[in-house]
Amino acid sequence: MCCVCVCVCVCAGVFPALPGQMQRPLASSYPSLQPVYQNVSGMQTQMQMQTQLYPQLSPSLASLSLQSQPPEALRVINLLQERSLLPAGSVPPPVPCLPQDLQKLSCSPEVFRCTLTSIPQTQSLLNKAKLPLGLLLHPFKDLSQLPVVTSSNIVRCRSCRTYINPFVTFLDARRWKCNLCHRVNDVPEEFMYNPVSRLYGAPHKRPEVQNATIEFIAPSEYMLRPPQPAVYLFILDVSHNAVETGYLDVFCQTLLESLDSLPGDTRTKIGFITFDSTIHFYNLQEGLSQPQMLIVSDIDDVFLPTPDSLLVNLSESKELVQDLLASLPQMFGQTMETQSALGPALQAAFKLLSPTGGRMSVFQTQLPTIGIGALKPREEPSHRANAKVTFCLVPITDLFSLCGLCLWKLTIDLSSPPEGCISRYSAGSVYFYPSYHKQHSPPQTERLQKDLKRYLTRKIGFEAVMRIRCTKGLSIHTFHGNFFVRSTDLLSLANVNPDAGFAVQMSIEENLLDLQTVSFQAALLYTSSKGERRIRVHTLCLPVVTSLSDIFAGADVQAITALLASMAVDRCVTASLSDARDSLINAAIDTLASYRSSVLTVPQPGLLTPACLRLLPLYILALLKHKAFRTSGGRLDERVFAMFQLKQQPLAFLLMMVHPGLYRVDQLTDEGALNINDRMIPQPRALQLSVEKLSRDAAFLMDCGTIWSVTCGFSSQIQLPELDTAQSSRLRAFVDWLRERRPFHAVLHVIRDESPLKTEFMQNMIEDLSESALSYYEFLLHLQQQISK
């Protein structure tokens, strides 16, 4: 049995979406090569002597920064000879080559980053580099420091509506020049006063001009209607299959414990719908002595029996809500009903939430079998071993595309994806618990509890829209993530949460002549759970360059990998798994071929790459061996869930799932440890994902993002033994530190040699040969062979 939880966000009055799918194959987005590199004169003598190892930076980039880009980014590496490529710690993002006064104001790469930190001046130059241009956003990320400004007059460009930011130019105290459209604007009188310093006459020192990430409390003109209350509607599968798993006990207990922590205020509303072959509503109106169940058996014409009493004020009806949660598991404990009327339940939920909007959370353990939207399993045994899975990645009924306007949820058989469509078009998310059973799978139970706790209590924004603006000459052509596309640069997000990431593909429509920098701005308008209309603004500034070597020097290998992953998922849907895999391989081939033919000045043997892209072939191979794209083994629903994750995870967590971290943990020391709140956190070196790095007499931890595996001589269990030894304390400190750095719960498995989980552990040994995939060295040879053709 599997338990699927789907989060659906409902926004009243949502417009139809234009799905943000790929507009052309990955491979075709890398046009043919044209050698264009010209040697640069005027560089330092030492650099000229090391041309073979460090291709030179152009004067345009060097003159832009007070300190030119460190040559390490362009150090030539022969991948066939150098195996130790992983850094000791995490891979740092490249630092844009900007003047120091702009650099210190730059947006955090954890929130907003670009695949190229040096933007080509022309599209033809970008085509020659064969590198994808795009943005990675984590717009609603939990931030420890976030400046909040309250103002009746939010200063914006009169032409393009860009929010004033650290990268505008003040011509004088009364005029500022927009960094996106270059229009000159007047400084409002109110903006002359600085609320922080309480001084007048220095607008360039206001918080809006000193912070690349800032939040405004919006005035009334940013509201189409008064802010609505936070509304939470839970739709629960109570069929025999669902009750047998025991998930209902876990859900009810976790929600009971979290009622006081749900984001909201005194207006917060809550409601419940359960379903099997019929739809069950619950009257929780204040004044009742106990909850009343109302059953609608006509699933072909669903109606709301008492519309005004199904969504109730949480504070006023809290005791009734608690009584319902305490009794729900027993109410259906003896049920033998096996049907699932999910579609009619969603229709009812849509009617209930339409007036106000809100968040819908759907818990499902089987395919919908009756009523509108009934589905049949589409997975065939052959689908596990071949690439013909496109049919199973698209909706089989229009119902779920419609409900996608307002829903997010969790589900079981993802190969017939109502929940995928629902969460995708409502800015929701999907949680998947294969083989879930409360008694038989304690790790999954623990994960469900922790995930649900985070989901229920994390920050939330309602009725959100996000607009992405960029400097004139740049354009957006594809979005990736869960959303509705309202226009070319506007996304509708029924709900927004701090764990959601987005990707954007860019192109250069007009040459960026006479520009030293370009800027990107993401503005997220949302209603907080407290009923405030707020605008969170992120602004990113990057230099413009005219040399291929400058472009390569600023390449962000992790951002490139994340963007390629999203593009490949869309390629699976629009074409085939085989095409997606070929496109990933072609991306690596084209990039390395361009570097070899157009950047290197002296021909050299081997598979050559600049140091900044040394991990690209490894990451591409990791994607090819990831559950989303591997060609053999695994269930189709696991593949589809993996694709969902690649599309919705922020960059940092996506990379954990693509290329896990492997650490030896039986010899941890305090050398190089972090001191956090007087607690020493060991920092073991990341190891290559290869069996040759393992040893029978050692213990290793593999961090796959949502799953950790510790392989050692301990008996199989899900908890680390708490021993009164220095090694045990260091290991638990390291594990706790890793856990604190992510918003989701990671299940911990302790594995012995004979454990059935060892197979999954070994599948993450990306650098080793497998039954259906090349080893890392063989993959490098393949790339070299293709480049040499």
Side-chain angles (χ1 to χ4, degrees):
M1 294 181 183
C2 300
C3 180
V4 178
C5 305
V6 175
C7 164
V8 179
C9 309
V10 178
C11 181
V14 174
F15 292 95
L18 299 174
Q21 296 182 343
M22 272 189 56
Q23 297 183 352
R24 56 177 179 268
L26 264 172
S28 65
S29 64
Y30 299 91
S32 58
L33 288 169
Q34 296 182 24
V36 296
Y37 182 78
Q38 295 179 351
N39 196 12
V40 180
S41 61
M43 300 296 287
Q44 298 178 9
T45 302
Q46 182 180 4
M47 290 294 292
Q48 290 175 332
M49 294 174 61
Q50 297 181 351
T51 301
Q52 292 185 19
L53 293 179
Y54 300 97
Q56 300 168 349
L57 292 164
S58 73
S60 62
L61 184 58
S63 63
L64 183 63
S65 175
L66 298 181
Q67 292 183 338
S68 62
Q69 182 81 20
E72 173 60 24
L74 286 177
R75 179 171 63 88
V76 180
I77 292 178
N78 186 345
L79 294 176
L80 296 175
Q81 294 180 351
E82 191 163 341
R83 291 293 307 276
S84 300
L85 300 177
L86 294 175
S90 59
V91 178
V95 179
C97 201
L98 293 168
Q100 290 182 357
D101 57 336
L102 295 182
Q103 187 59 64
K104 66 181 181 181
L105 298 174
S106 185
C107 192
S108 168
E110 294 182 355
V111 173
F112 204 176
R113 63 201 283 184
C114 185
T115 56
L116 304 177
T117 58
S118 296
I119 304 299
Q121 189 181 69
T122 66
Q123 181 65 39
S124 62
L125 189 61
L126 176 62
N127 292 343
K128 292 170 185 175
K130 306 292 186 179
L131 290 166
L133 176 60
L135 303 172
L136 282 299
L137 295 89
H138 192 175
F140 206 55
K141 184 181 187 297
D142 288 326
L143 300 172
S144 58
Q145 293 184 338
L146 176 64
V148 179
V149 174
T150 303
S151 176
S152 60
N153 183 10
I154 298 177
V155 179
R156 303 174 66 180
C157 175
R158 293 177 60 190
S159 178
C160 69
R161 306 302 292 158
T162 293
Y163 294 83
I164 196 167
N165 59 81
F167 309 107
V168 304
T169 303
F170 281 91
L171 304 180
D172 51 48
R174 295 289 181 176
R175 296 180 302 155
W176 63 278
K177 186 177 181 181
C178 177
N179 53 318
L180 269 66
C181 73
H182 314 301
R183 177 184 176 128
V184 176
N185 298 269
D186 295 330
V187 176
E189 185 66 30
E190 180 184 343
F191 203 75
M192 297 295 291
Y193 176 74
N194 189 335
V196 178
S197 64
R198 298 185 179 182
L199 298 176
Y200 182 86
H204 62 284
K205 292 186 178 180
R206 279 185 60 103
E208 299 95 318
V209 191
Q210 292 296 314
N211 296 277
T213 291
I214 195 165
E215 188 155 284
F216 299 94
I217 297 179
S220 58
E221 57 260 36
Y222 288 83
M223 306 176 192
L224 295 177
R225 63 176 179 173
Q228 300 298 297
V231 179
Y232 303 106
L233 179 61
F234 298 92
I235 299 90
L236 308 171
D237 182 354
V238 292
S239 64
H240 174 75
N241 183 73
V243 174
E244 181 67 19
T245 67
Y247 96 86
L248 203 56
D249 300 86
V250 176
F251 165 79
C252 291
Q253 183 60 40
T254 305
L255 181 54
L256 269 172
E257 295 171 356
S258 305
L259 280 178
D260 292 334
S261 302
L262 290 177
D265 54 18
T266 56
R267 304 180 304 154
T268 299
K269 293 186 175 183
I270 194 169
F272 299 87
I273 295 175
T274 58
F275 66 94
D276 42 34
S277 63
T278 58
I279 312 301
H280 322 124
F281 300 90
Y282 297 88
N283 183 349
L284 302 171
Q285 195 68 36
E286 183 186 16
L288 294 175
S289 59
Q290 63 182 13
Q292 293 181 348
M293 177 192 286
L294 307 170
I295 301 176
V296 174
S297 57
D298 186 359
I299 61 174
D300 294 324
D301 185 19
V302 176
F303 64 93
L304 303 180
T306 57
D308 297 332
S309 62
L310 302 180
L311 281 176
V312 297
N313 183 286
L314 177 57
S315 59
E316 295 174 356
S317 302
K318 186 175 181 180
E319 289 187 4
L320 288 172
V321 172
Q322 292 173 326
D323 289 346
L324 177 63
L325 292 174
S327 60
L328 261 181
Q330 289 71 41
M331 289 169 59
F332 297 96
Q334 303 302 316
T335 183
M336 299 305 294
E337 181 59 68
T338 59
Q339 302 284 10
S340 171
L342 173 63
L346 292 178
Q347 286 183 316
F350 181 76
K351 292 179 180 180
L352 191 56
L353 285 185
S354 290
T356 60
R359 185 177 72 185
M360 186 187 305
S361 306
V362 183
F363 291 74
Q364 178 191 1
T365 63
Q366 61 178 324
L367 284 177
T369 57
I370 58 173
I372 186 171
L375 299 173
K376 295 181 179 180
R378 290 192 283 172
E379 179 173 14
E380 299 177 6
S382 60
H383 282 161
R384 301 186 189 182
N386 64 41
K388 297 179 180 179
V389 298
T390 305
F391 170 71
C392 296
L393 300 179
V394 296
I396 200 170
T397 172
D398 289 339
L399 164 70
F400 299 111
S401 294
L402 173 63
C403 290
L405 292 172
C406 53
L407 304 179
W408 89 259
K409 76 174 190 172
L410 301 158
T411 175
I412 164 175
D413 185 351
L414 299 179
S415 61
S416 297
E419 39 290 310
C421 295
I422 290 172
S423 64
R424 177 180 179 184
Y425 296 124
S426 66
S429 47
V430 176
Y431 298 79
F432 180 48
Y433 303 87
S435 304
Y436 179 84
H437 193 282
K438 180 182 177 182
Q439 301 299 327
H440 302 160
S441 55
Q444 292 285 33
T445 299
E446 180 189 18
R447 182 179 158 218
L448 174 59
Q449 290 172 328
K450 301 291 186 180
D451 285 351
L452 187 55
K453 181 78 171 179
R454 164 69 181 176
Y455 167 69
L456 292 171
T457 60
R458 70 188 180 188
K459 187 175 180 179
I460 185 173
F462 297 97
E463 295 187 302
V465 292
M466 182 168 67
R467 190 181 297 273
I468 302 175
R469 297 178 173 89
C470 49
T471 295
K472 183 180 180 181
L474 296 170
S475 67
I476 299 168
H477 66 80
T478 308
F479 293 96
H480 301 277
N482 292 344
F483 47 76
F484 290 117
V485 179
R486 290 263 291 271
S487 64
T488 55
D489 63 351
L490 182 65
L491 304 181
S492 176
L493 311 171
N495 291 175
V496 63
N497 71 78
D499 302 334
F502 303 87
V504 181
Q505 285 175 251
M506 309 285 299
S507 61
I508 304 172
E509 286 193 339
E510 301 176 14
N511 293 343
L512 306 173
L513 303 176
D514 302 322
L515 292 181
Q516 283 196 316
T517 63
V518 293
S519 295
F520 308 88
Q521 187 175 87
L524 178 68
L525 174 64
Y526 71 96
T527 299
S528 75
S529 59
K530 303 295 185 183
E532 291 180 323
R533 201 65 174 154
R534 291 187 167 220
I535 311 165
R536 187 173 296 190
V537 179
H538 310 285
T539 310
L540 176 66
C541 181
L542 297 173
V544 176
V545 299
T546 59
S547 162
L548 278 175
S549 59
D550 295 345
I551 298 171
F552 277 94
D556 185 335
V557 68
Q558 292 192 323
I560 289 171
T561 302
L563 182 61
L564 290 175
S566 289
M567 294 166 67
V569 170
D570 281 354
R571 187 75 176 130
C572 283
V573 176
T574 59
S576 69
L577 175 61
S578 177
D579 282 355
R581 289 174 54 85
D582 289 344
S583 297
L584 287 170
I585 297 171
N586 289 340
I589 293 171
D590 291 346
T591 296
L592 297 183
S594 174
Y595 173 76
R596 184 182 187 92
S597 64
S598 303
V599 177
L600 291 177
T601 55
V602 179
Q604 301 177 52
L607 183 61
L608 306 179
T609 177
C612 59
L613 290 176
R614 67 190 183 279
L615 296 177
L616 182 61
L618 180 61
Y619 285 160
I620 294 294
L621 181 62
L623 282 174
L624 295 173
K625 294 188 177 185
H626 190 266
K627 285 183 179 179
F629 304 116
R630 67 175 59 147
T631 56
S632 65
R635 293 177 54 85
L636 184 56
D637 51 5
E638 293 177 347
R639 181 192 300 280
V640 176
F641 178 63
M643 291 182 177
F644 288 161
Q645 287 186 303
L646 292 179
K647 291 284 285 187
Q648 71 185 31
Q649 287 287 351
L651 174 62
F653 308 130
L654 182 150
L655 263 296
M656 291 180 188
M657 299 172 187
V658 171
H659 188 275
L662 179 65
Y663 310 95
R664 180 166 180 171
V665 293
D666 62 310
Q667 296 180 343
L668 297 175
T669 69
D670 290 337
E671 183 179 353
L674 298 177
N675 189 333
I676 301 178
N677 298 327
D678 296 326
R679 184 178 56 153
M680 300 302 293
I681 311 297
Q683 296 295 294
R685 184 179 181 88
L687 303 175
Q688 293 170 238
L689 292 171
S690 174
V691 174
E692 68 181 38
K693 296 298 180 182
L694 302 181
S695 172
R696 288 185 176 273
D697 58 355
F700 299 87
L701 183 143
M702 179 178 287
D703 181 3
C704 305
T706 57
I707 297 176
W708 293 338
S709 300
V710 177
T711 176
C712 60
F714 301 133
S715 60
S716 182
Q717 52 188 309
I718 62 171
Q719 297 291 335
L720 287 175
E722 295 191 18
L723 307 177
D724 188 19
T725 64
Q727 281 298 323
S728 177
S729 298
R730 291 190 184 104
L731 176 55
R732 283 184 281 112
F734 180 56
V735 169
D736 290 344
W737 176 72
L738 289 175
R739 192 167 263 151
E740 292 164 2
R741 299 174 68 207
R742 66 201 71 195
F744 46 80
H745 180 70
V747 176
L748 177 66
H749 297 288
V750 180
I751 303 171
R752 297 182 64 185
D753 276 351
E754 64 273 16
S755 170
L757 293 172
K758 183 180 178 181
T759 300
E760 187 167 347
F761 181 90
M762 300 305 294
Q763 284 180 340
N764 288 310
M765 292 299 174
I766 294 165
E767 299 195 24
D768 293 338
L769 178 68
S770 64
E771 293 181 2
S772 60
L774 301 174
S775 69
Y776 176 55
Y777 187 76
E778 290 172 331
F779 182 63
L780 294 179
L781 292 176
H782 174 70
L783 295 181
Q784 183 187 38
Q785 181 184 25
Q786 296 301 310
I787 292 172
S788 302
K789 283 185 176 180

